[in-house]
Amino acid sequence: MSETRIHGADAKTAHQDLHSEQGALRGEHPGRSRNPVIKVADLAWLEFEKPDLDRAEVFARDFGFHIAARTKNELWLRGTFAGSPCMVIRRGRTSRFIGPAFRAAERADLDRLARATGTDVRDADVPGGGTVVGLLDPSGFPVRVVHCAEPLPELPGQQPLLLNFGTEHRRTNATQRPPREPSRIQRLGHVVLETRVFARALDWYLDTLGMIVSDFLFLDGQRGRGPSMAFIRCDLGGRAVDHHTLAMHLGPGNGYVHSAYQVADLDSIAAGGEYLNERGYKRSWGIGRHVLGSQLFDYWRDPDRFMLEHFADGDLFSCDLEPGWAPMSTSGLAQWGPPATRDFLGASPSPQRVRDVLEALRGDSEMDPARLLGLLKAANS
């Protein structure tokens, strides 16, 4: 996880001025738990199943991953930074997202988590070894909390280009020629999930894993009903970390939305995007710069239709920033870049989406007609 030290008071003012005039109103969600069970240190990896591991490996290399380990039934992907792998893909009958794994700060955190949740600490089947506690969040996602015994060593990375700015000339008598090659993934940044039980899931991650909210979004005219999306970061005290490691939003389904992987800079994003385009992959949306999190972004679909993001230059927050509050809207997704596509927004109707909506409105869900109409309005605003 990228981290640095910042002056909390200055950053807090800038954050609140950008995202809302008042911040939280009296009685609104505080965005953190008073007494969490543990405080996870980072997102470790994501778990998927796919029937064709050879095809998955080809895309992984084209997207910029390195192969940490490969067997007949498992493919472990990693970035260039030292630490844990980014992703494991296991052979399965269908392509599906299983769940996230978070990294415990200390081995003792797993014992405390297991006692509090009535689970066991087990050996983890991960390159380098380690231990794991398996949980189930309110949305039904299996969630692992791991402590890796031997972090993977650092690999050679892609160096950011040396840039000239105005009268600041750091590069002379030399040209810029970024190579047309895959963007070299440095690390896993975040995962975004959709859930029908947003409020319950949010509180579970704050209470159980000690995460804290950077920004809340609410539906137009429905702020009194609480937020409908949260960008959530880890709490490492005074050390600033990614604006969000996990983001969740209310929706008719329980599922994966996208995951994001850090690369060196804008040229790495753009040149890597040209490389992917030349090989026939589909860009979902980009290139642009987000509002919440401020990342430079570029979204792509893999052959199994999962969405993955290259990003660079994201915001880093320490624990003393309180959550920002803003209305949910498509126009609020980016500071600049092309308009958000229907593919990125998931706005194209499908039989499965219709089934999700009907099931959410009839079952144990926080969705109702007013919430559904609010989400549709946000997607078109």
Side-chain angles (χ1 to χ4, degrees):
M1 175 182 294
S2 296
E3 52 192 47
T4 188
R5 291 194 174 274
I6 59 177
H7 299 291
D10 293 341
K12 182 175 180 179
T13 300
H15 180 58
Q16 289 185 334
D17 287 349
L18 176 62
H19 297 304
S20 63
E21 295 180 359
Q22 297 176 312
L25 304 178
R26 183 181 296 276
E28 288 187 317
H29 200 297
R32 61 187 69 199
S33 174
R34 291 185 177 181
N35 188 29
V37 178
I38 64 169
K39 293 184 178 181
V40 294
D42 202 354
L43 191 60
W45 64 77
L46 303 177
E47 302 191 3
F48 293 83
E49 285 185 356
K50 296 186 178 184
D52 190 339
L53 295 190
D54 291 334
R55 185 175 71 170
E57 181 175 345
V58 171
F59 173 80
R61 292 183 184 277
D62 288 343
F63 194 73
F65 290 106
H66 289 267
I67 308 304
R70 172 72 196 266
T71 68
K72 179 181 178 181
N73 294 311
E74 286 190 345
L75 173 64
W76 287 88
L77 307 178
R78 62 161 297 177
T80 60
F81 285 2
S84 63
C86 295
M87 184 188 299
V88 56
I89 305 172
R90 297 187 175 91
R91 190 180 303 278
R93 295 179 61 184
T94 61
S95 294
R96 66 189 185 110
F97 173 69
I98 304 300
F102 292 87
R103 179 169 61 85
E106 300 178 357
R107 171 60 178 80
D109 287 340
L110 296 187
D111 296 321
R112 184 160 57 253
L113 182 62
R115 287 194 301 269
T117 58
T119 53
D120 298 319
V121 180
R122 298 178 286 105
D123 290 336
D125 182 17
V126 55
T131 49
V132 61
V133 170
L135 306 171
L136 197 68
D137 79 1
S139 305
F141 292 115
V143 175
R144 299 177 185 271
V145 181
V146 302
H147 186 266
C148 294
E150 296 183 15
L152 298 173
E154 183 176 1
L155 298 177
Q158 216 164 15
Q159 295 301 311
L161 295 186
L162 193 63
L163 303 180
N164 290 329
F165 298 98
T167 59
E168 181 183 347
H169 301 153
R170 298 186 293 168
R171 188 188 80 257
T172 59
N173 296 329
T175 60
Q176 294 281 41
R177 300 291 186 269
R180 187 68 60 84
E181 63 181 9
S183 306
R184 294 188 204 172
I185 302 299
Q186 296 173 333
R187 64 185 181 93
L188 168 62
H190 64 259
V191 63
V192 180
L193 304 175
E194 178 180 297
T195 173
R196 298 170 181 167
V197 290
F198 171 80
R200 277 180 271 170
L202 171 65
D203 287 342
W204 187 88
Y205 281 96
L206 306 191
D207 293 338
T208 309
L209 304 186
M211 306 182 81
I212 56 180
V213 175
S214 298
D215 280 287
F216 282 122
L217 298 182
F218 55 88
L219 296 175
D220 184 44
Q222 299 185 37
R223 181 165 181 171
R225 298 189 64 181
S228 54
M229 185 168 187
F231 294 83
I232 310 165
R233 68 188 186 275
C234 296
D235 180 1
L236 298 188
R239 288 189 293 175
V241 301
D242 290 339
H243 171 270
H244 56 286
T245 295
L246 168 68
M248 292 190 301
H249 69 79
L250 177 66
N254 290 321
Y256 169 95
V257 179
H258 76 260
S259 52
Y261 304 86
Q262 181 176 290
V263 299
D265 59 9
L266 179 58
D267 278 279
S268 177
I269 291 175
E274 290 299 306
Y275 184 91
L276 288 169
N277 185 61
E278 289 170 352
R279 278 150 185 79
Y281 299 109
K282 180 184 177 183
R283 173 179 273 126
S284 180
W285 182 36
I287 298 172
R289 185 181 283 277
H290 280 306
V291 174
L292 300 182
S294 302
Q295 299 99 328
L296 297 163
F297 65 81
D298 195 19
Y299 293 90
W300 292 84
R301 294 282 185 181
D302 77 0
D304 297 284
R305 296 290 300 160
F306 290 108
M307 190 189 301
L308 292 86
E309 174 190 2
H310 284 143
F311 81 92
D313 190 32
D315 290 337
L316 302 172
F317 288 177
S318 60
C319 71
D320 47 0
L321 266 75
E322 297 299 323
W325 285 75
M328 180 182 284
S329 69
T330 296
S331 60
L333 289 173
Q335 301 178 44
W336 57 262
T341 63
R342 291 181 62 84
D343 179 75
F344 174 81
L345 296 172
S348 299
S350 67
Q352 181 58 53
R353 200 59 172 168
V354 173
R355 287 192 293 269
D356 287 342
V357 169
L358 294 175
E359 186 175 339
L361 293 175
R362 293 170 180 170
D364 180 20
S365 166
E366 295 168 20
M367 289 290 296
D368 57 34
R371 291 299 237 182
L372 180 60
L373 290 174
L375 289 169
L376 292 173
K377 182 178 179 180
N380 291 284
S381 63

mmCIF file of all heavy atoms in Angstrom, residues 186-224:
data_model
loop_
_atom_site.group_PDB
_atom_site.id
_atom_site.type_symbol
_atom_site.label_atom_id
_atom_site.label_comp_id
_atom_site.label_asym_id
_atom_site.label_seq_id
_atom_site.Cartn_x
_atom_site.Cartn_y
_atom_site.Cartn_z
ATOM 1 N N GLN A 186 2.086 -2.519 -10.725
ATOM 2 C CA GLN A 186 2.883 -2.425 -9.506
ATOM 3 C C GLN A 186 2.225 -3.158 -8.347
ATOM 4 O O GLN A 186 2.882 -3.884 -7.602
ATOM 5 C CB GLN A 186 3.096 -0.951 -9.130
ATOM 6 C CG GLN A 186 3.909 -0.183 -10.161
ATOM 7 C CD GLN A 186 3.975 1.307 -9.861
ATOM 8 O OE1 GLN A 186 3.075 1.877 -9.231
ATOM 9 N NE2 GLN A 186 5.039 1.947 -10.316
ATOM 10 N N ARG A 187 0.902 -2.988 -8.201
ATOM 11 C CA ARG A 187 0.200 -3.584 -7.061
ATOM 12 C C ARG A 187 -1.300 -3.507 -7.292
ATOM 13 O O ARG A 187 -1.776 -2.750 -8.152
ATOM 14 C CB ARG A 187 0.545 -2.846 -5.762
ATOM 15 C CG ARG A 187 0.070 -1.395 -5.764
ATOM 16 C CD ARG A 187 0.508 -0.631 -4.532
ATOM 17 N NE ARG A 187 -0.005 0.735 -4.586
ATOM 18 C CZ ARG A 187 -1.151 1.141 -4.042
ATOM 19 N NH1 ARG A 187 -1.912 0.275 -3.374
ATOM 20 N NH2 ARG A 187 -1.547 2.384 -4.150
ATOM 21 N N LEU A 188 -2.035 -4.269 -6.515
ATOM 22 C CA LEU A 188 -3.491 -4.172 -6.452
ATOM 23 C C LEU A 188 -3.865 -2.946 -5.626
ATOM 24 O O LEU A 188 -3.343 -2.745 -4.530
ATOM 25 C CB LEU A 188 -4.048 -5.441 -5.805
ATOM 26 C CG LEU A 188 -5.512 -5.447 -5.375
ATOM 27 C CD1 LEU A 188 -6.453 -5.257 -6.555
ATOM 28 C CD2 LEU A 188 -5.836 -6.758 -4.648
ATOM 29 N N GLY A 189 -4.784 -2.125 -6.160
ATOM 30 C CA GLY A 189 -5.196 -0.921 -5.453
ATOM 31 C C GLY A 189 -6.517 -1.061 -4.725
ATOM 32 O O GLY A 189 -6.605 -0.836 -3.516
ATOM 33 N N HIS A 190 -7.583 -1.432 -5.461
ATOM 34 C CA HIS A 190 -8.896 -1.523 -4.816
ATOM 35 C C HIS A 190 -9.826 -2.435 -5.596
ATOM 36 O O HIS A 190 -9.564 -2.794 -6.745
ATOM 37 C CB HIS A 190 -9.526 -0.130 -4.644
ATOM 38 C CG HIS A 190 -9.827 0.580 -5.934
ATOM 39 N ND1 HIS A 190 -9.020 1.567 -6.448
ATOM 40 C CD2 HIS A 190 -10.860 0.466 -6.824
ATOM 41 C CE1 HIS A 190 -9.532 2.022 -7.576
ATOM 42 N NE2 HIS A 190 -10.654 1.368 -7.830
ATOM 43 N N VAL A 191 -10.925 -2.771 -4.937
ATOM 44 C CA VAL A 191 -12.002 -3.534 -5.566
ATOM 45 C C VAL A 191 -13.314 -2.825 -5.283
ATOM 46 O O VAL A 191 -13.480 -2.220 -4.211
ATOM 47 C CB VAL A 191 -12.041 -4.989 -5.044
ATOM 48 C CG1 VAL A 191 -12.331 -5.053 -3.559
ATOM 49 C CG2 VAL A 191 -13.058 -5.829 -5.824
ATOM 50 N N VAL A 192 -14.226 -2.848 -6.254
ATOM 51 C CA VAL A 192 -15.550 -2.232 -6.117
ATOM 52 C C VAL A 192 -16.590 -3.338 -6.201
ATOM 53 O O VAL A 192 -16.557 -4.167 -7.119
ATOM 54 C CB VAL A 192 -15.794 -1.172 -7.204
ATOM 55 C CG1 VAL A 192 -17.184 -0.546 -7.035
ATOM 56 C CG2 VAL A 192 -14.714 -0.092 -7.156
ATOM 57 N N LEU A 193 -17.534 -3.339 -5.245
ATOM 58 C CA LEU A 193 -18.560 -4.363 -5.161
ATOM 59 C C LEU A 193 -19.943 -3.728 -5.137
ATOM 60 O O LEU A 193 -20.110 -2.617 -4.609
ATOM 61 C CB LEU A 193 -18.379 -5.200 -3.884
ATOM 62 C CG LEU A 193 -17.031 -5.878 -3.692
ATOM 63 C CD1 LEU A 193 -16.969 -6.567 -2.338
ATOM 64 C CD2 LEU A 193 -16.756 -6.883 -4.818
ATOM 65 N N GLU A 194 -20.912 -4.428 -5.721
ATOM 66 C CA GLU A 194 -22.320 -4.037 -5.627
ATOM 67 C C GLU A 194 -22.999 -4.939 -4.607
ATOM 68 O O GLU A 194 -22.728 -6.136 -4.552
ATOM 69 C CB GLU A 194 -22.995 -4.177 -6.982
ATOM 70 C CG GLU A 194 -24.485 -3.849 -6.986
ATOM 71 C CD GLU A 194 -25.111 -4.009 -8.357
ATOM 72 O OE1 GLU A 194 -24.717 -3.271 -9.280
ATOM 73 O OE2 GLU A 194 -25.991 -4.879 -8.509
ATOM 74 N N THR A 195 -23.899 -4.370 -3.810
ATOM 75 C CA THR A 195 -24.576 -5.150 -2.785
ATOM 76 C C THR A 195 -26.012 -4.679 -2.611
ATOM 77 O O THR A 195 -26.295 -3.482 -2.714
ATOM 78 C CB THR A 195 -23.844 -5.064 -1.429
ATOM 79 O OG1 THR A 195 -24.625 -5.712 -0.422
ATOM 80 C CG2 THR A 195 -23.581 -3.627 -1.023
ATOM 81 N N ARG A 196 -26.902 -5.632 -2.327
ATOM 82 C CA ARG A 196 -28.294 -5.309 -2.031
ATOM 83 C C ARG A 196 -28.476 -4.877 -0.581
ATOM 84 O O ARG A 196 -29.536 -4.361 -0.223
ATOM 85 C CB ARG A 196 -29.174 -6.532 -2.280
ATOM 86 C CG ARG A 196 -29.185 -7.042 -3.698
ATOM 87 C CD ARG A 196 -29.890 -8.384 -3.772
ATOM 88 N NE ARG A 196 -29.886 -8.909 -5.135
ATOM 89 C CZ ARG A 196 -30.204 -10.148 -5.449
ATOM 90 N NH1 ARG A 196 -30.553 -10.994 -4.482
ATOM 91 N NH2 ARG A 196 -30.178 -10.544 -6.710
ATOM 92 N N VAL A 197 -27.484 -5.155 0.256
ATOM 93 C CA VAL A 197 -27.593 -4.863 1.698
ATOM 94 C C VAL A 197 -26.459 -3.921 2.082
ATOM 95 O O VAL A 197 -25.627 -4.220 2.928
ATOM 96 C CB VAL A 197 -27.581 -6.158 2.532
ATOM 97 C CG1 VAL A 197 -28.874 -6.939 2.326
ATOM 98 C CG2 VAL A 197 -26.382 -7.041 2.182
ATOM 99 N N PHE A 198 -26.445 -2.768 1.450
ATOM 100 C CA PHE A 198 -25.326 -1.838 1.575
ATOM 101 C C PHE A 198 -25.050 -1.448 3.024
ATOM 102 O O PHE A 198 -23.899 -1.496 3.483
ATOM 103 C CB PHE A 198 -25.608 -0.589 0.732
ATOM 104 C CG PHE A 198 -24.615 0.518 0.964
ATOM 105 C CD1 PHE A 198 -23.376 0.486 0.355
ATOM 106 C CD2 PHE A 198 -24.925 1.580 1.802
ATOM 107 C CE1 PHE A 198 -22.453 1.492 0.572
ATOM 108 C CE2 PHE A 198 -24.017 2.588 2.017
ATOM 109 C CZ PHE A 198 -22.780 2.544 1.404
ATOM 110 N N ALA A 199 -26.066 -1.027 3.768
ATOM 111 C CA ALA A 199 -25.847 -0.544 5.139
ATOM 112 C C ALA A 199 -25.269 -1.642 6.024
ATOM 113 O O ALA A 199 -24.346 -1.406 6.813
ATOM 114 C CB ALA A 199 -27.146 -0.006 5.723
ATOM 115 N N ARG A 200 -25.809 -2.858 5.899
ATOM 116 C CA ARG A 200 -25.302 -3.971 6.710
ATOM 117 C C ARG A 200 -23.860 -4.316 6.322
ATOM 118 O O ARG A 200 -23.013 -4.567 7.185
ATOM 119 C CB ARG A 200 -26.197 -5.192 6.533
ATOM 120 C CG ARG A 200 -27.440 -5.183 7.409
ATOM 121 C CD ARG A 200 -28.269 -6.439 7.161
ATOM 122 N NE ARG A 200 -29.228 -6.254 6.072
ATOM 123 C CZ ARG A 200 -29.930 -7.238 5.527
ATOM 124 N NH1 ARG A 200 -29.761 -8.478 5.940
ATOM 125 N NH2 ARG A 200 -30.792 -6.984 4.568
ATOM 126 N N ALA A 201 -23.593 -4.347 5.025
ATOM 127 C CA ALA A 201 -22.246 -4.683 4.569
ATOM 128 C C ALA A 201 -21.248 -3.616 4.992
ATOM 129 O O ALA A 201 -20.130 -3.928 5.434
ATOM 130 C CB ALA A 201 -22.236 -4.851 3.049
ATOM 131 N N LEU A 202 -21.624 -2.347 4.863
ATOM 132 C CA LEU A 202 -20.743 -1.253 5.275
ATOM 133 C C LEU A 202 -20.353 -1.400 6.742
ATOM 134 O O LEU A 202 -19.164 -1.368 7.091
ATOM 135 C CB LEU A 202 -21.438 0.088 5.040
ATOM 136 C CG LEU A 202 -20.742 1.315 5.620
ATOM 137 C CD1 LEU A 202 -19.408 1.552 4.932
ATOM 138 C CD2 LEU A 202 -21.645 2.542 5.509
ATOM 139 N N ASP A 203 -21.331 -1.561 7.613
ATOM 140 C CA ASP A 203 -21.039 -1.666 9.042
ATOM 141 C C ASP A 203 -20.187 -2.886 9.346
ATOM 142 O O ASP A 203 -19.343 -2.862 10.255
ATOM 143 C CB ASP A 203 -22.336 -1.699 9.848
ATOM 144 C CG ASP A 203 -23.031 -0.342 9.892
ATOM 145 O OD1 ASP A 203 -22.368 0.666 9.597
ATOM 146 O OD2 ASP A 203 -24.241 -0.304 10.200
ATOM 147 N N TRP A 204 -20.390 -3.975 8.606
ATOM 148 C CA TRP A 204 -19.594 -5.184 8.838
ATOM 149 C C TRP A 204 -18.114 -4.924 8.572
ATOM 150 O O TRP A 204 -17.252 -5.319 9.365
ATOM 151 C CB TRP A 204 -20.107 -6.312 7.952
ATOM 152 C CG TRP A 204 -19.460 -7.634 8.230
ATOM 153 C CD1 TRP A 204 -19.852 -8.579 9.141
ATOM 154 C CD2 TRP A 204 -18.301 -8.174 7.573
ATOM 155 N NE1 TRP A 204 -19.006 -9.652 9.101
ATOM 156 C CE2 TRP A 204 -18.046 -9.443 8.148
ATOM 157 C CE3 TRP A 204 -17.455 -7.710 6.567
ATOM 158 C CZ2 TRP A 204 -16.974 -10.249 7.746
ATOM 159 C CZ3 TRP A 204 -16.386 -8.506 6.160
ATOM 160 C CH2 TRP A 204 -16.163 -9.749 6.744
ATOM 161 N N TYR A 205 -17.799 -4.262 7.463
ATOM 162 C CA TYR A 205 -16.393 -3.999 7.149
ATOM 163 C C TYR A 205 -15.773 -3.006 8.137
ATOM 164 O O TYR A 205 -14.586 -3.128 8.472
ATOM 165 C CB TYR A 205 -16.259 -3.486 5.718
ATOM 166 C CG TYR A 205 -16.335 -4.591 4.690
ATOM 167 C CD1 TYR A 205 -17.536 -4.897 4.049
ATOM 168 C CD2 TYR A 205 -15.216 -5.353 4.378
ATOM 169 C CE1 TYR A 205 -17.611 -5.931 3.120
ATOM 170 C CE2 TYR A 205 -15.280 -6.383 3.449
ATOM 171 C CZ TYR A 205 -16.481 -6.666 2.838
ATOM 172 O OH TYR A 205 -16.549 -7.704 1.928
ATOM 173 N N LEU A 206 -16.553 -2.057 8.616
ATOM 174 C CA LEU A 206 -16.020 -1.102 9.594
ATOM 175 C C LEU A 206 -15.836 -1.768 10.950
ATOM 176 O O LEU A 206 -14.802 -1.575 11.615
ATOM 177 C CB LEU A 206 -16.947 0.104 9.715
ATOM 178 C CG LEU A 206 -17.307 0.866 8.429
ATOM 179 C CD1 LEU A 206 -17.998 2.182 8.766
ATOM 180 C CD2 LEU A 206 -16.092 1.118 7.562
ATOM 181 N N ASP A 207 -16.836 -2.535 11.392
ATOM 182 C CA ASP A 207 -16.789 -3.148 12.723
ATOM 183 C C ASP A 207 -15.824 -4.327 12.792
ATOM 184 O O ASP A 207 -15.151 -4.525 13.805
ATOM 185 C CB ASP A 207 -18.185 -3.632 13.138
ATOM 186 C CG ASP A 207 -19.166 -2.499 13.355
ATOM 187 O OD1 ASP A 207 -18.722 -1.364 13.605
ATOM 188 O OD2 ASP A 207 -20.387 -2.753 13.250
ATOM 189 N N THR A 208 -15.754 -5.123 11.737
ATOM 190 C CA THR A 208 -14.956 -6.351 11.767
ATOM 191 C C THR A 208 -13.518 -6.122 11.334
ATOM 192 O O THR A 208 -12.583 -6.639 11.958
ATOM 193 C CB THR A 208 -15.597 -7.424 10.859
ATOM 194 O OG1 THR A 208 -16.978 -7.571 11.189
ATOM 195 C CG2 THR A 208 -14.890 -8.767 11.019
ATOM 196 N N LEU A 209 -13.311 -5.346 10.273
ATOM 197 C CA LEU A 209 -11.979 -5.164 9.707
ATOM 198 C C LEU A 209 -11.388 -3.795 9.993
ATOM 199 O O LEU A 209 -10.260 -3.513 9.565
ATOM 200 C CB LEU A 209 -12.009 -5.419 8.199
ATOM 201 C CG LEU A 209 -12.554 -6.782 7.758
ATOM 202 C CD1 LEU A 209 -12.381 -6.959 6.260
ATOM 203 C CD2 LEU A 209 -11.889 -7.932 8.508
ATOM 204 N N GLY A 210 -12.124 -2.921 10.698
ATOM 205 C CA GLY A 210 -11.570 -1.643 11.127
ATOM 206 C C GLY A 210 -11.316 -0.651 10.020
ATOM 207 O O GLY A 210 -10.492 0.262 10.164
ATOM 208 N N MET A 211 -12.011 -0.779 8.894
ATOM 209 C CA MET A 211 -11.833 0.170 7.799
ATOM 210 C C MET A 211 -12.622 1.441 8.072
ATOM 211 O O MET A 211 -13.519 1.458 8.920
ATOM 212 C CB MET A 211 -12.255 -0.478 6.482
ATOM 213 C CG MET A 211 -11.548 -1.799 6.216
ATOM 214 S SD MET A 211 -11.972 -2.572 4.644
ATOM 215 C CE MET A 211 -10.899 -1.640 3.546
ATOM 216 N N ILE A 212 -12.278 2.535 7.385
ATOM 217 C CA ILE A 212 -12.927 3.825 7.601
ATOM 218 C C ILE A 212 -13.312 4.438 6.257
ATOM 219 O O ILE A 212 -12.694 4.157 5.229
ATOM 220 C CB ILE A 212 -12.037 4.799 8.401
ATOM 221 C CG1 ILE A 212 -10.671 4.993 7.730
ATOM 222 C CG2 ILE A 212 -11.843 4.293 9.829
ATOM 223 C CD1 ILE A 212 -9.747 5.950 8.476
ATOM 224 N N VAL A 213 -14.325 5.273 6.271
ATOM 225 C CA VAL A 213 -14.887 5.828 5.035
ATOM 226 C C VAL A 213 -14.190 7.130 4.663
ATOM 227 O O VAL A 213 -14.014 8.018 5.494
ATOM 228 C CB VAL A 213 -16.407 6.053 5.186
ATOM 229 C CG1 VAL A 213 -16.973 6.748 3.948
ATOM 230 C CG2 VAL A 213 -17.118 4.726 5.421
ATOM 231 N N SER A 214 -13.804 7.236 3.403
ATOM 232 C CA SER A 214 -13.256 8.477 2.856
ATOM 233 C C SER A 214 -14.346 9.373 2.291
ATOM 234 O O SER A 214 -14.326 10.581 2.492
ATOM 235 C CB SER A 214 -12.241 8.170 1.750
ATOM 236 O OG SER A 214 -11.142 7.443 2.252
ATOM 237 N N ASP A 215 -15.304 8.782 1.569
ATOM 238 C CA ASP A 215 -16.387 9.548 0.955
ATOM 239 C C ASP A 215 -17.664 8.729 0.915
ATOM 240 O O ASP A 215 -17.630 7.533 0.607
ATOM 241 C CB ASP A 215 -16.027 9.961 -0.482
ATOM 242 C CG ASP A 215 -15.122 11.169 -0.537
ATOM 243 O OD1 ASP A 215 -15.616 12.288 -0.271
ATOM 244 O OD2 ASP A 215 -13.931 10.998 -0.828
ATOM 245 N N PHE A 216 -18.767 9.403 1.221
ATOM 246 C CA PHE A 216 -20.108 8.846 1.050
ATOM 247 C C PHE A 216 -20.771 9.517 -0.138
ATOM 248 O O PHE A 216 -20.614 10.726 -0.360
ATOM 249 C CB PHE A 216 -20.981 9.127 2.277
ATOM 250 C CG PHE A 216 -20.727 8.244 3.459
ATOM 251 C CD1 PHE A 216 -20.372 8.788 4.683
ATOM 252 C CD2 PHE A 216 -20.884 6.871 3.378
ATOM 253 C CE1 PHE A 216 -20.157 7.986 5.794
ATOM 254 C CE2 PHE A 216 -20.680 6.055 4.479
ATOM 255 C CZ PHE A 216 -20.313 6.615 5.694
ATOM 256 N N LEU A 217 -21.555 8.753 -0.887
ATOM 257 C CA LEU A 217 -22.436 9.298 -1.906
ATOM 258 C C LEU A 217 -23.874 8.962 -1.526
ATOM 259 O O LEU A 217 -24.143 7.899 -0.970
ATOM 260 C CB LEU A 217 -22.118 8.714 -3.283
ATOM 261 C CG LEU A 217 -20.720 8.991 -3.853
ATOM 262 C CD1 LEU A 217 -20.592 8.376 -5.243
ATOM 263 C CD2 LEU A 217 -20.414 10.475 -3.886
ATOM 264 N N PHE A 218 -24.785 9.870 -1.829
ATOM 265 C CA PHE A 218 -26.201 9.636 -1.539
ATOM 266 C C PHE A 218 -27.023 9.932 -2.782
ATOM 267 O O PHE A 218 -26.596 10.668 -3.689
ATOM 268 C CB PHE A 218 -26.674 10.511 -0.369
ATOM 269 C CG PHE A 218 -26.431 11.997 -0.560
ATOM 270 C CD1 PHE A 218 -27.364 12.792 -1.195
ATOM 271 C CD2 PHE A 218 -25.255 12.588 -0.112
ATOM 272 C CE1 PHE A 218 -27.156 14.158 -1.383
ATOM 273 C CE2 PHE A 218 -25.025 13.944 -0.288
ATOM 274 C CZ PHE A 218 -25.977 14.736 -0.922
ATOM 275 N N LEU A 219 -28.207 9.339 -2.850
ATOM 276 C CA LEU A 219 -29.094 9.536 -3.992
ATOM 277 C C LEU A 219 -29.821 10.865 -3.876
ATOM 278 O O LEU A 219 -30.190 11.295 -2.774
ATOM 279 C CB LEU A 219 -30.100 8.387 -4.081
ATOM 280 C CG LEU A 219 -29.497 7.009 -4.354
ATOM 281 C CD1 LEU A 219 -30.578 5.943 -4.295
ATOM 282 C CD2 LEU A 219 -28.788 6.981 -5.700
ATOM 283 N N ASP A 220 -30.034 11.500 -5.015
ATOM 284 C CA ASP A 220 -30.686 12.803 -5.051
ATOM 285 C C ASP A 220 -32.049 12.748 -4.368
ATOM 286 O O ASP A 220 -32.889 11.896 -4.697
ATOM 287 C CB ASP A 220 -30.848 13.258 -6.500
ATOM 288 C CG ASP A 220 -31.425 14.656 -6.603
ATOM 289 O OD1 ASP A 220 -30.996 15.533 -5.852
ATOM 290 O OD2 ASP A 220 -32.317 14.851 -7.452
ATOM 291 N N GLY A 221 -32.262 13.632 -3.396
ATOM 292 C CA GLY A 221 -33.521 13.689 -2.679
ATOM 293 C C GLY A 221 -33.688 12.614 -1.625
ATOM 294 O O GLY A 221 -34.736 12.549 -0.967
ATOM 295 N N GLN A 222 -32.658 11.776 -1.419
ATOM 296 C CA GLN A 222 -32.770 10.666 -0.474
ATOM 297 C C GLN A 222 -31.639 10.667 0.563
ATOM 298 O O GLN A 222 -31.340 9.630 1.160
ATOM 299 C CB GLN A 222 -32.784 9.328 -1.213
ATOM 300 C CG GLN A 222 -33.947 9.163 -2.181
ATOM 301 C CD GLN A 222 -33.993 7.775 -2.798
ATOM 302 O OE1 GLN A 222 -33.707 6.777 -2.153
ATOM 303 N NE2 GLN A 222 -34.371 7.709 -4.076
ATOM 304 N N ARG A 223 -31.040 11.812 0.804
ATOM 305 C CA ARG A 223 -29.940 11.842 1.767
ATOM 306 C C ARG A 223 -30.401 11.392 3.152
ATOM 307 O O ARG A 223 -29.646 10.758 3.894
ATOM 308 C CB ARG A 223 -29.334 13.245 1.845
ATOM 309 C CG ARG A 223 -28.154 13.343 2.807
ATOM 310 C CD ARG A 223 -27.343 14.597 2.624
ATOM 311 N NE ARG A 223 -26.211 14.627 3.543
ATOM 312 C CZ ARG A 223 -25.231 15.513 3.493
ATOM 313 N NH1 ARG A 223 -25.248 16.453 2.561
ATOM 314 N NH2 ARG A 223 -24.241 15.476 4.364
ATOM 315 N N GLY A 224 -31.635 11.691 3.487
ATOM 316 C CA GLY A 224 -32.166 11.299 4.783
ATOM 317 C C GLY A 224 -32.243 9.794 4.972
ATOM 318 O O GLY A 224 -32.334 9.313 6.113
#
